[in-house]
Each structure stands twice: as C-alpha cells, then as structure tokens.
Amino acid sequence: MTSRPTTSLLTAFLALLLLAPSLNAQFWKRKKQQSPAISPATASQLVEAMMVDMAPAPEYPEITVAALPAKPPVLFTPRNPATPPVSQAQRAVREADRHFQYGKFFIQEGKPEQARQEFDLAMESLMDLPADLPDRALIDRKSEELIRNIHRYDLESLGAGIAPGEAVYTQSPLEEILDLTFPVDPRLKGRTQAQVQAAQSQLPLVVNDAVLSYINYFTSTRGQRTLLNGIKRAGRYREMISRIFAEEGVPQELIFLAQAESGFMPRAVSRKAATGMWQFVRRTGQDYGLNQSTLHDDRLDPEKATRAAARHLSDLYKLSGDWYLAMAAYNCGPYCVERAVQRTGYADFWELHRRNAIPRETRNYVPAILAMVIVSRNLEAYGLQSLPPEAPLDYDTIHVAADTNLGLIADAADVPLADIRELNPALIRTVAPAGFDVRVPARQAREVLAAIEAVPEDKRAAWRLHRISSSDTLASIARQYSTAANSILAANQLDSSFFEAPEDGEVLLIPASAPKAAPAKRKAPVRRTTARRTASKSAKPAPRKVAARK
C-alpha cells in the first residue's frame, strides 16, 4: 500500500520537469503582448537622459573664508602639571632671578641702594656654588647673563656708568665759555680758509679772528672734550634733526645750535628757565605749539622742540634776511638784534660785533657755532679722534586712553623705568596723561598695549605687573609692592593654590597704590646778569623793514 502513492508522486514530478520550458516560453510571450511598444521619440529621450547622467558634474566657484582674527596675547601661560625634580643649580638660578627681579623693582621705585643690594645677592646666589656641579654650565651661562643685565641697569639707572672722559651737562655747555676770550693761533688761519673754500655748505662760513679763537679752543684738551662728546650724543637725534631741517628749509649746519644750547640734552634747563634741547622759554614755546601742563612739557620732547626750533629760526631769518642775524636773535632775542640794527644802521652781524652793539655772549655765540661746524667737518686735520656716535633712538608709539603709570608700561615692556623715561623726556612725572602718545621700545607696541589693556582703566595710574619667579610666594610679592595678598588674588581671580608651584614668566596684576609725588623743591634765587638773553627768545615780533646793509 505504501509503494503506490510514492510511484504516483514521482511520475507527476517528472511530467512537471518536461513541461517547464514550454510554460516559461508561453509566459514571456503573453508578457510581451501586454507591454506597449516604445516609439523612436521615447527611445531618443531615454538616450538623452542617459547622456545627462553620464555628463561630468558642474564646477562650482571656490569660496574663500577669512581667517579668524588672532586672539590678543594673554597674561598667563599654560602650566605643565608635571614638575620635574629641581637640581641645586636650578634652585640657585631661580634664587638669582628672584633677587634680580627685586632689584628691577627697586630701580623703578627710585631706590638705587636697595636695587644694588638685590643685584649683589643675585650674583652671590651663583658664586657660592661648588665648582664640580653636574650642570655647572647652566650656572656659568646665567652668571654671564646677569652680569650683562646688571651692568645695563647700572649704567642707565644707578649712575655708575659715566665714563671719566664724558661730559655731564646740567646747563648749556657753552654758558661759561661764551663770556671768555681765547687766543688766536696764526697757524690755523691759512689751513682753515683753504678747508672752508673747498667745502660746500648751506650756511655761509667765515674765517676771522673771532672764529679762529674758538677753533683754537675746540682743538684744545678742554674744548675738544666738549665738542666730541656733543658730536657723540648727537647720533641719537641727527637723523631726526636733519629730516626736520630739510622740511623747514633750515641749513643743516645749524644742528650745532643744539650743542651750544644744551649739549643735545633733552632735559637741560638754563638759569634763565629756558628748557629742553633747544632751550625755549615758556612763552616762545607756546607760540610754536609746545604745550605745558603739570604732567608734561613739550619743550622737553626732542622731536617737537626741533620742529619748533626750525620754524623759529626760519621766522627769524625772514625778519633779517641773514642767517647770522637769525642765530644772534635766537640767542639774545629778536628785539635785541632789531634795536642794534636800528641804532647802528647796519644789518650785518660782523659790523654789530665790531661795534659791540649786541651783548658779549651773543657776539661769541655765532663764532663758537661756526667754529664747531668747521672743526667737526675735518676732525683729523685738527688732530682730533672722533668718538663712535650713539645709535639713533628706535621706538614704537602707543596711545594711552587713561592716565597710565610709567612703571606699568616698563613692567609690560620688561625694561627699566629709566628706559621709558628716556624715550619720553616730555613727561615730567611718572604718569602719562590720558590721550598721550607714549614711546616704547621698538617692536613691542602690541605686547605692551595688550598688557596695559588687561588692567582696568581707572587703575592704570597705580597698578603694576609682576613677572613671577619660581621662588616667589604670595606673601613675598605682597611685601614687595606693599599691598594685601588677598587683593592680588582678587585682582587675578586666583586662589592661594596657584602659588604652590608657580612657573617662571607668568604675569600677575598687582593692585598697588598710586606713586607718591615728590615734594616740591624750593627754587633757588636766580642771579641776574646783563649779558644773558636780555630778551631771551620772547614772542615773535611782527615783520618790520630792516635797515639796509652798508
């Protein structure tokens, strides 16, 4: 009974296999009959669609995205959490750095004795170490670096760097000698005349006994010291003065008026209260745009004063038509020269000189300047050896929006306060007024301004910056600036854990007190003299007709 169903199933399966091809062909035949035929137009559209799909992708224009602006410098540098072990030499270097930073602070505070003590301690920290230390080279390098830096601060701030042969001017270097008479060396006349005739000059040069007497003086042992040191210091300002004189149409040789007036010292003050490199009295300075306040005096600014001097000389020349008379008027005042011309009828300096119609100091002023011009052109011919000129001042300028402590600016630039004051002699006190353009060391303007702007505007007249040494503590920094430790933490938004492992070079805001103004000194009485600038650089007179030369 079981074999019969099995046989039936096998027979059915074989029949299905034989009929499968025929059934498949019939299925596709019926499918083709049901599908509509594709027209030639439809086929063409299909081909075009395929070609579009195969076409390359269109090129889109590139879009340039501007770079994000650079972030301003931050005061704090990232710290490395891993602290390697510190060797004996490294500890000594950190201790030396700490004393050096203290010394810099005392210099900025005007305390040279304490500064010198700290500098000595800095060197002692390195000198007391054994000679066989494994990293002795680190000590030697640090010692050389400290010696250079301390020497620089010593020269500029502690007063120990004045060379024995260098003149130190507190007044005009010619104030004393202009009242004196010097002998004439007859051997100089022929040689000097030949040199003057062979040289080209914007200023007419004359060789006579008055000029020769000062040539004799400036080639003497005492006189050459005055001349050569002035030429040396002029290197700082020569390029600036030459540029301004060219712009104002003033002879280049008149740069020696600045040597006669001040020895190129921007802060020179005469006994007649004439001030600055070009020795302007207050009223004449104001006539030429040199403003003064309790915080600044433009007469002390070398560039502003040079511009004013060039314009003043140009105006004096327009009055007289003669550069010698303009020089004389610069010394004793335009009214003095004008009265002498009207009284004698001669508009010629040498005639006024011969007739003693002008003060003795003025009679010697012009010959002394001419002598300096002649000798400086050929020092070797007069047996003089020139000194290397000082490098021209190189600086950037920043604009302070609020009253700003010069100590803060010095901290930001990491230079002595004396450097900032030297670049800004027009600032009378240690605070630059709001709106003032302050000169800072070259290529540091951006960093200095960024550091200053980190201090609130209303605090910039007092607050300071402190670069941390690894041996600093919160208490030592607070003592150094006479401020509260909590105030330092609050100003920098820190807690005391920051000082558990301070890193060299990090900068802190220091909420210090405003510097106290020095007590005013009582002025000493001024002895009156009849020869010194009877009408010294007073206001410009209205142009008047001058008597013709005879």
Side-chain angles (χ1 to χ4, degrees):
M1 294 181 64
T2 56
S3 60
R4 186 176 295 174
T6 303
T7 304
S8 299
L9 289 173
L10 182 59
T11 303
F13 177 72
L14 292 173
L16 182 62
L17 289 176
L18 293 173
L19 293 174
S22 176
L23 293 173
N24 187 41
Q26 292 177 5
F27 171 79
W28 287 110
K29 183 177 181 180
R30 287 196 300 270
K31 187 71 175 176
K32 184 177 181 181
Q33 291 174 353
Q34 294 174 359
S35 300
I38 300 176
S39 65
T42 303
S44 176
Q45 292 176 357
L46 291 174
V47 172
E48 290 179 0
M50 292 174 62
M51 294 299 291
V52 170
D53 292 338
M54 296 173 62
E59 295 184 1
Y60 296 98
E62 294 184 0
I63 300 176
T64 303
V65 180
L68 293 175
K71 293 183 178 180
V74 295
L75 289 179
F76 297 100
T77 55
R79 59 172 60 196
N80 184 3
T83 304
V86 179
S87 67
Q88 182 181 1
Q90 290 173 330
R91 284 196 299 271
V93 166
R94 292 179 178 180
E95 183 70 12
D97 276 335
R98 184 173 69 87
H99 287 296
F100 180 70
Q101 294 295 331
Y102 284 166
K104 287 170 55 178
F105 168 76
F106 284 128
I107 284 178
Q108 294 168 356
E109 292 296 306
K111 301 176 180 178
E113 293 301 325
Q114 292 92 324
R116 197 180 295 279
Q117 291 175 5
E118 292 295 335
F119 287 157
D120 290 343
L121 290 174
M123 294 305 303
E124 290 175 5
S125 301
L126 303 178
M127 297 300 181
D128 296 338
L129 297 175
D132 56 350
L133 282 178
D135 44 1
R136 183 69 200 184
L138 173 64
I139 298 297
D140 294 339
R141 288 196 302 271
K142 190 63 181 179
S143 298
E144 293 175 1
E145 176 188 339
L146 278 180
I147 289 172
R148 288 194 302 269
N149 290 337
I150 292 174
H151 178 67
R152 175 168 165 264
Y153 278 86
D154 200 45
L155 284 175
E156 298 171 350
S157 304
L158 302 183
I162 300 172
E166 183 174 350
V168 180
Y169 303 122
T170 55
Q171 292 182 332
S172 165
L174 299 185
E175 272 193 349
E176 296 180 0
I177 65 174
L178 290 182
D179 287 332
L180 304 177
T181 302
F182 302 99
V184 176
D185 186 349
R187 297 171 298 177
L188 290 175
K189 189 169 186 177
R191 181 177 59 186
T192 302
Q193 285 179 335
Q195 292 173 354
V196 168
Q197 292 173 359
Q200 294 182 349
S201 175
Q202 296 179 354
L203 180 71
L205 298 179
V206 173
V207 179
N208 54 29
D209 286 350
V211 175
L212 288 172
S213 68
Y214 275 98
I215 290 178
N216 189 34
Y217 170 74
F218 287 122
T219 55
S220 67
T221 302
R222 180 182 176 185
Q224 64 179 272
R225 180 167 168 259
T226 299
L227 176 65
L228 295 178
N229 280 292
I231 294 174
K232 175 184 176 182
R233 187 167 181 83
R236 290 190 173 200
Y237 310 105
R238 184 177 296 277
E239 292 181 5
M240 177 268 294
I241 296 173
S242 178
R243 170 177 54 83
I244 291 177
F245 276 16
E247 293 170 355
E248 300 294 338
V250 174
Q252 294 290 325
E253 291 79 10
L254 294 188
I255 186 176
F256 284 97
L257 265 73
Q259 174 154 347
E261 295 288 340
S262 67
F264 295 99
M265 300 292 288
R267 291 179 178 270
V269 179
S270 76
R271 60 176 179 256
K272 286 290 187 178
T275 301
M277 183 187 296
W278 295 93
Q279 293 288 281
F280 278 96
V281 294
R282 181 179 295 272
R283 183 177 176 183
T284 309
Q286 291 172 346
D287 289 342
Y288 287 92
L290 300 179
N291 300 316
Q292 301 110 44
S293 72
T294 57
L295 294 179
H296 82 287
D297 188 341
D298 287 342
R299 295 177 297 170
L300 303 176
D301 185 290
E303 186 164 353
K304 291 181 180 179
T306 298
R307 180 73 66 180
R311 291 176 177 173
H312 186 35
L313 284 166
S314 180
D315 288 341
L316 294 173
Y317 175 75
K318 292 174 184 176
L319 287 175
S320 62
D322 183 274
W323 282 114
Y324 290 173
L325 291 177
M327 294 160 65
Y330 195 92
N331 177 255
C332 68
Y335 289 122
C336 176
V337 173
E338 187 175 8
R339 285 195 301 268
V341 170
Q342 292 176 348
R343 188 169 63 252
T344 63
Y346 289 94
D348 179 82
F349 172 79
W350 298 113
E351 190 63 35
L352 299 179
H353 182 282
R354 187 179 68 83
R355 293 171 177 266
N356 296 331
I358 49 180
R360 181 174 184 175
E361 178 187 304
T362 306
R363 297 200 305 270
N364 292 336
Y365 182 80
V366 174
I369 292 172
L370 295 178
M372 285 190 285
V373 173
I374 293 171
V375 175
S376 66
R377 289 188 163 200
N378 198 350
L379 294 173
E380 292 77 9
Y382 294 94
L384 305 183
Q385 185 175 1
S386 62
L387 301 175
E390 295 185 11
L393 293 180
D394 189 14
Y395 54 82
D396 291 339
T397 302
I398 62 172
H399 185 80
V400 293
D403 289 357
T404 305
N405 181 10
L406 296 186
L408 173 63
I409 298 175
D411 295 338
D414 196 21
V415 297
L417 176 60
D419 283 12
I420 302 299
R421 300 207 69 172
E422 186 174 18
L423 288 174
N424 299 275
L427 291 173
I428 300 173
R429 305 189 186 279
T430 57
V431 174
F436 197 84
D437 291 329
V438 180
R439 294 165 184 156
V440 298
R443 294 165 291 281
Q444 294 192 38
R446 181 181 177 185
E447 292 78 5
V448 170
L449 197 57
I452 292 173
E453 289 176 349
V455 180
E457 281 195 3
D458 60 337
K459 306 295 185 183
R460 293 176 189 173
W463 282 23
R464 301 288 298 275
L465 298 175
H466 177 80
R467 283 179 171 78
I468 295 178
S469 172
S470 57
S471 57
D472 279 340
T473 65
L474 177 59
S476 67
I477 296 173
R479 284 195 303 270
Q480 180 177 345
Y481 293 93
S482 301
T483 190
N486 289 337
S487 299
I488 297 176
L489 294 177
N492 294 276
Q493 300 179 1
L494 299 172
D495 55 44
S496 57
S497 63
F498 174 83
F499 291 90
E500 293 176 359
E503 290 192 359
D504 293 345
E506 289 186 301
V507 180
L508 290 178
L509 300 176
I510 305 297
S513 301
K516 296 181 180 180
K521 295 183 179 180
R522 185 178 180 181
K523 292 184 178 180
V526 178
R527 181 170 57 88
R528 296 184 179 274
T529 58
T530 57
R532 181 62 180 170
R533 301 191 186 186
T534 307
S536 176
K537 299 184 181 67
S538 56
K540 297 181 293 181
R544 299 172 63 182
K545 186 177 293 185
V546 181
R549 294 189 185 88
K550 293 186 179 180

